[in-house]
Structures are given as structure tokens and as C-alpha cells.
């Protein structure tokens, strides 16, 4: 047998294979249709014709494919010379899984297209479809969760042009370019979480999650599970699928640990290990998970004094205190009050303004509740006032118990006195005055000071203040 005979055999086998393949698909499919280069139907089998309400396939011949098959994409296949290998097509009798292929002549030019309706029982593809839908839902859920955990604030939201405010923003911006832990120190209501979000938003981790945990707001026996998650069925009542902890949720992003001074000692040691070894174990699991999380901690507590009392680990303090930022109380940046007040009223969507006497009065108050208290006072004054210009009388009424700024030794340390001792003395004076004005009612005193009740109780215990004082 010569080469010419071999070539003829190859062509014959190829032709028979093509014919056989077409017959197999045409007979086993739910329908077949062929169009020319103008997307007009040149052939359709009877099964397909009946699905579209035709008495005979001959009725379809010569008609544009869209006139018979309303949502046909065969014209697109002819125009683009690109197959559509798997698609779902709606028909009057239900959906079909279809495949569409271009047809070429010997020169390779497109002369038409062929479409096969492979089957109408979508359950044959149910594992694939279910997997696809599950992945889509998971992706949408992840995107939604990530959007909800994006930082809302940037450095522009930390309002103030005083020397103290500018120094805070300078140090915070510098810390944003690093990966080391940041420790935000300052009284409650000074804007520590705002700064933490701004640092995250200016860092290379900004596209990942910002997760916040308040150590003082979660029961001690639940904190470990909250931080590190739980393995499936770790304890009675635990989720059978397990539950991710904040370190897993914040993976690749930033974890903000607010009121870290209230963290129990056993958990402090585990947190130290995560910071040092970059790994942790979920509760009830033997699997060690890698941690890629930047930690920003904050506290209103004097951690050095807590270390002396045995309430805070010194090694954890030194590990966190790499980039300390002291966020000053409002009484130490009173010149920022006009700008802060304007921004707060704008945020409240209020049309009110402050006259000069009102601003002067605001600058004379010590603001033990800091910016949170300032917002509270302005919102109350705006709600109670019938005039758009707030005066000193309305502001004083909104403040309630007025605490004048101390210009003497109550704030400035005496010779040989440390900052922490001077601050304790001032805190004792302010808390004592609030308790006296509220006749010993801790709940009312906490509201006046802009503090949480538990936070005030802890401060009273640390300072040795009784409710009767």
C-alpha cells in the first residue's frame, strides 16, 4: 500500500468518525440545529422543532435562528468564531444544557454553526452547579464580611492642630509603615480606636480586615475562644463545624485589642506566644495555625502600675510597647475644641453653631469623658435648643456637673512626682467630685464622666475610692 492509499484511508476514517460522532450526538441529544453564515437555520431535527412549538422542522428552515429560538447565541458563535461549550438555555418546556460550535470549510473560514441540546435534566449537572453556587455564595459572604471589617477612619478624622495632636498624628503615620505592635495609651474617649483604624488604613494591610476586640466587654472564660476560635465539638454546646477566632478572621490584616489591661493573666501568656512565635492553637484542637496579624493594643490603664500589682505581665508589656503612642486627653489640647465642635455638629447633621462665649466655656471644662463627653454635650444642647446659635447658658446646662480645668498642682506634677502619680491624683479628684455631685450613685457618676460603669468601678478600686466618698 502506497502513501496515496494511506492518505485516502485516513480521510475516509476521519469522515466516518465525524459522521458517526454527529449521529451519536444527534440521536442522544434533546435537539440539534444548524445555521449558515448568516445565522439562518438550514437544518433542525424534529425533537428540537417540537420543543419550540413547531409542527415540523421544515417550518424552521430559512428563518433567522432567533425567530425560532428566542435566546439563541448561534449568531454570536458565527460572528466571533468561538465555541460555547457549556451553557444553560431557557425554552418554553424548561431549561436545556447546550453546546454550540462553529463550522469551517476546508479553507478554515466560518460557514455556519451547530448547536446541540445535550440534555434537559439539570440534575445531571447538579454537583457542578451546587459547587459553583456554593463558591459564589461563599465569595459574596467573604466580600461582604471584609467590607464590614474595613477601617472607617483615616488620619483626617483625628481632628486637631494643637502641638499635642500633631505629634500624635506624626507618630501614628510613622507606625503605619511598620509591622511592629503599636500600643495606644490614653484615657477613655480620646479616640484610640479611631487612630488604630487610621493606622491600619494607611498600612500595606489596608485591603485586609480590621478586627476589634474589647477585652473588658467579654467574659473571661470566653475570651480564649473569642481570640483563637474553637475546634469542632471542642466542648459541650460548641459548634460542630468549629468557630474561627478573631486571629483567624484578621489573618493578613490588623487586630485591635482594646482595653488590653483588662485581659486575664492566663490569656496574656497565650497572646505573648502568638506575638513571638506567630502561631496558635484553637480551643480543643491539636493543630497549630500560623498567624499573620498586625496587633494594635490600647488601654486607659497605667500598665506599669498594673505590672507592679501583678495584674499585667511585664514581658507582654515590653512586647507590645514597641511603638507607644500617648493619646492626650481633651483638657491637654483645648485649642482643638472649636474644630472638634464644628466637626461633631456636622457629623450630627445639625445646623447649630456656637457663639464665642459658648466656645470659651467649653475651653474651661476639664472634660473627664474627653471627646465622647464633648459629643454628648453638643448633641444634648442641639436637641434642647430652639435657636441655631448655642450660647454659654445652653452649653452649661448640657454639661451638668462642671469640672473646671485645673491649672495648678492637680495636673502639673510636684517636684519629684512621676506622671503616673500626678495623673492618679487628678483622676481621684475628678471621680471624687462626680461621686459627690451624684450623692455616691456610681451609675450616674459614670454617665457624667462619659465612662462605662465597669470602667469606673475598676478605676475606683485601683485608686482606693469608696462609693461613699
Amino acid at each position: 500500500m502506497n502513501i496515496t492509499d494511506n492518505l485516502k484511508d485516513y480521510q475516509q476514517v476521519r469522515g466516518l468518525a465525524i459522521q458517526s460522532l454527529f449521529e451519536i450526538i444527534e440521536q442522544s441529544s434533546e435537539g440539534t440545529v444548524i445555521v449558515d453564515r448568516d445565522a439562518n437555520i438550514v437544518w433542525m431535527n424534529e425533537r428540537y422543532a417540537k420543543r419550540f412549538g413547531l409542527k415540523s422542522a421544515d417550518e424552521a428552515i430559512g428563518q433567522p435562528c432567533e425567530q425560532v429560538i428566542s435566546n439563541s447565541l448561534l449568531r454570536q458563535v458565527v460572528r466571533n468564531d468561538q465555541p460555547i461549550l457549556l451553557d444553560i438555555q431557557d425554552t418554553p418546556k424548561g431549561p436545556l444544557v447546550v453546546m454550540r460550535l462553529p463550522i469551517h470549510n476546508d479553507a478554515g473560514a466560518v460557514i455556519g454553526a451547530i448547536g446541540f441540546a445535550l440534555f434537559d435534566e439539570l440534575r445531571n449537572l447538579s454537583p457542578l452547579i451546587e459547587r459553583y453556587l456554593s463558591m459564589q455564595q461563599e465569595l459574596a459572604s467573604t466580600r461582604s464580611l471584609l467590607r464590614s471589617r474595613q477601617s472607617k477612619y483615616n488620619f483626617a478624622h483625628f481632628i486637631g492642630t494643637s502641638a499635642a495632636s500633631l505629634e500624635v498624628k506624626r507618630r501614628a503615620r510613622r507606625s503605619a509603615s511598620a509591622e511592629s505592635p503599636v500600643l495606644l495609651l490614653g484615657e477613655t474617649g480620646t479616640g484610640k480606636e479611631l487612630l488604630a483604624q487610621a493606622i491600619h488604613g494607611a498600612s500595606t494591610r489596608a485591603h485586609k480586615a480590621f478586627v476589634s476586640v474589647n477585652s473588658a466587654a467579654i467574659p473571661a472564660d470566653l475570651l480564649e475562644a473569642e481570640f483563637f476560635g474553637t475546634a469542632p465539638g471542642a466542648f459541650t454546646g460548641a459548634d460542630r463545624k468549629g468557630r474561627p477566632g478573631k486571629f483567624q478572621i484578621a489573618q493578613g490584616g490588623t487586630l485591635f485589642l482594646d482595653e488590653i489591661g483588662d485581659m486575664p493573666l492566663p490569656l496574656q501568656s497565650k497572646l505573648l506566644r502568638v506575638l513571638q512565635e506567630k502561631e496558635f492553637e484553637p480551643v480543643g484542637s491539636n493543630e497549630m495555625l500560623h498567624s499573620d496579624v498586625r496587633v494594635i493594643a490600647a488601654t486607659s490603664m497605667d500598665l506599669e502600675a498594673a505590672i507592679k500589682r501583678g495584674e499585667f505581665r511585664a514581658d507582654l508589656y515590653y512586647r507590645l510597647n514597641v511603638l507607644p503612642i500617648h493619646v492626650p486627653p481633651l483638657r491637654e489640647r483645648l485649642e482643638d475644641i472649636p474644630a472638634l465642635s464644628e466637626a461633631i455638629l456636622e457629623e450630627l447633621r445639625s445646623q447649630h453653631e456656637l457663639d464665642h462665649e459658648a466656645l470659651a466655656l467649653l475651653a474651661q471644662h476639664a472634660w473627664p469623658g474627653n471627646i465622647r463627653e464633648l459629643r454628648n454635650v453638643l448633641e444634648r444642647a442641639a436637641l434642647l435648643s430652639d435657636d441655631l446659635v448655642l450660647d454659654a447658658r445652653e452649653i452649661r446646662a448640657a454639661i451638668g456637673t462642671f469640672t473646671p480645668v485645673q491649672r495648678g498642682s492637680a495636673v502639673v506634677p510636684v517636684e519629684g512626682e512621676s506622671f503616673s502619680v500626678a495623673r492618679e491624683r487628678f483622676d481621684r479628684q475628678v471621680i471624687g467630685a462626680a461621686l459627690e455631685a451624684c450623692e455616691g450613685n456610681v451609675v450616674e457618676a459614670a454617665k457624667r464622666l462619659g465612662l462605662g460603669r465597669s470602667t469606673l468601678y475598676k478605676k475606683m478600686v485601683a485608686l482606693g475610692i469608696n462609693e461613699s466618698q
Side-chain angles (χ1 to χ4, degrees):
M1 185 178 292
N2 57 33
I3 296 176
T4 303
D5 292 334
N6 282 335
L7 183 60
K8 289 181 179 179
D9 285 345
Y10 294 157
Q11 291 173 340
Q12 183 180 9
V13 171
R14 179 174 178 271
L16 289 173
I18 293 173
Q19 181 181 349
S20 176
L21 179 62
F22 173 79
E23 291 176 353
I24 291 172
I25 296 178
E26 193 276 328
Q27 291 172 7
S28 61
S29 71
E30 292 298 318
T32 306
V33 60
I34 300 174
V35 299
D36 60 17
R37 70 184 64 190
D38 296 319
N40 295 322
I41 296 175
V42 297
W43 184 83
M44 174 183 280
N45 66 0
E46 294 297 333
R47 233 179 358 266
Y48 213 33
K50 290 179 180 178
R51 178 172 283 272
F52 290 97
L54 302 179
K55 294 181 180 180
S56 168
D58 292 338
E59 295 181 34
I61 306 303
Q63 295 191 50
C65 60
E66 299 89 352
Q67 190 168 326
V68 177
I69 308 170
S70 60
N71 53 356
S72 174
L73 296 180
L74 287 171
R75 186 179 300 276
Q76 175 183 320
V77 173
V78 174
R79 183 187 302 119
N80 298 336
D81 191 14
Q82 293 293 324
I84 301 175
L85 298 179
L86 197 63
D87 192 15
I88 297 177
Q89 178 178 322
D90 289 325
T91 72
K93 294 186 177 182
L96 293 173
V97 177
V98 300
M99 176 174 63
R100 308 177 183 97
L101 304 170
I103 302 173
H104 303 92
N105 60 18
D106 292 337
V110 178
I111 59 172
I114 184 169
F116 296 103
L118 300 179
F119 46 82
D120 61 356
E121 296 182 355
L122 296 187
R123 65 174 180 269
N124 294 327
L125 284 181
S126 61
L128 179 63
I129 293 173
E130 288 176 5
R131 176 62 177 162
Y132 173 76
L133 293 176
S134 175
M135 291 175 64
Q136 288 293 97
Q137 290 174 356
E138 185 176 343
L139 179 60
S141 175
T142 301
R143 285 175 174 169
S144 176
L145 179 62
L146 185 58
R147 281 195 296 269
S148 69
R149 294 189 180 279
Q150 294 293 305
S151 55
K152 298 183 293 184
Y153 303 109
N154 54 45
F155 290 116
H157 289 96
F158 191 86
I159 297 169
T161 57
S162 64
S165 298
L166 293 177
E167 176 61 16
V168 166
K169 286 190 276 190
R170 184 189 70 82
R171 292 175 68 92
R173 284 195 178 95
R174 177 165 293 184
S175 69
S177 61
E179 285 290 309
S180 302
V182 176
L183 182 59
L184 301 174
L185 303 167
E187 299 175 12
T188 182
T190 52
K192 297 188 291 296
E193 181 164 0
L194 185 154
L195 275 175
Q197 292 197 28
I199 292 170
H200 169 77
S203 73
T204 56
R205 297 175 177 266
H207 63 290
K208 296 290 186 177
F210 175 90
V211 180
S212 176
V213 184
N214 189 322
S215 302
I218 303 173
D221 54 346
L222 296 180
L223 268 176
E224 184 176 357
E226 190 73 19
F227 273 90
F228 306 121
T230 58
F235 51 84
T236 303
D239 193 328
R240 292 181 181 180
K241 297 181 180 180
R243 182 173 180 271
K246 292 299 190 284
F247 270 96
Q248 290 165 279
I249 297 172
Q251 187 74 352
T254 301
L255 181 61
F256 175 57
L257 305 179
D258 200 8
E259 297 298 345
I260 195 170
D262 293 296
M263 181 179 289
L265 280 169
L267 190 58
Q268 291 180 27
S269 61
K270 295 186 178 183
L271 174 60
L272 179 62
R273 175 176 176 79
V274 179
L275 294 175
Q276 291 180 335
E277 306 299 331
K278 303 295 183 182
E279 59 184 20
F280 64 93
E281 284 180 297
V283 176
S285 171
N286 294 321
E287 181 184 5
M288 196 68 70
L289 301 181
H290 175 69
S291 173
D292 175 24
V293 173
R294 204 264 178 99
V295 170
I296 300 178
T299 182
S300 58
M301 183 183 293
D302 185 340
L303 292 183
E304 292 184 0
I307 291 171
K308 293 177 182 178
R309 296 193 301 268
E311 297 174 358
F312 201 84
R313 293 180 61 106
D315 47 5
L316 177 59
Y317 172 70
Y318 296 129
R319 189 69 186 84
L320 291 171
N321 197 36
V322 178
L323 292 171
I325 300 176
H326 174 67
V327 187
L330 186 53
R331 63 181 174 274
E332 292 181 9
R333 54 186 191 106
L334 294 172
E335 55 267 48
D336 292 335
I337 285 181
L340 280 167
S341 299
E342 182 179 350
I344 290 171
L345 289 172
E346 183 177 343
E347 184 182 347
L348 293 172
R349 297 182 180 180
S350 171
Q351 301 297 319
H352 291 82
E353 297 179 359
L354 296 164
D355 66 17
H356 293 294
E357 293 182 356
L359 286 171
L361 181 64
L362 290 176
Q364 295 171 21
H365 183 46
W367 300 108
N370 293 295
I371 298 172
R372 189 176 293 123
E373 183 188 2
L374 175 62
R375 178 188 174 89
N376 177 274
V377 167
L378 292 176
E379 185 172 10
R380 184 185 300 118
L383 288 172
L384 296 177
S385 176
D386 295 326
D387 299 321
L388 290 180
V389 179
L390 301 175
D391 58 25
R393 178 183 54 82
E394 292 168 315
I395 292 298
R396 182 178 287 277
I399 290 176
T401 302
F402 188 82
T403 307
V405 177
Q406 300 293 323
R407 306 293 182 180
S409 60
V411 175
V412 181
V414 299
E415 185 176 355
E417 184 179 46
S418 67
F419 171 80
S420 61
V421 173
R423 177 177 165 179
E424 284 185 8
R425 179 154 48 83
F426 178 79
D427 287 350
R428 187 178 291 106
Q429 177 184 338
V430 171
I431 293 173
L435 286 170
E436 183 179 353
C438 297
E439 299 180 351
N441 188 317
V442 178
V443 176
E444 290 299 321
K447 290 181 180 178
R448 287 178 180 271
L449 295 172
L451 301 174
R453 183 177 58 180
S454 60
T455 301
L456 180 56
Y457 268 121
K458 289 173 183 176
K459 286 183 174 291
M460 289 169 61
V461 171
L463 297 170
I465 299 176
N466 298 321
E467 294 183 37
S468 58
Q469 289 180 280

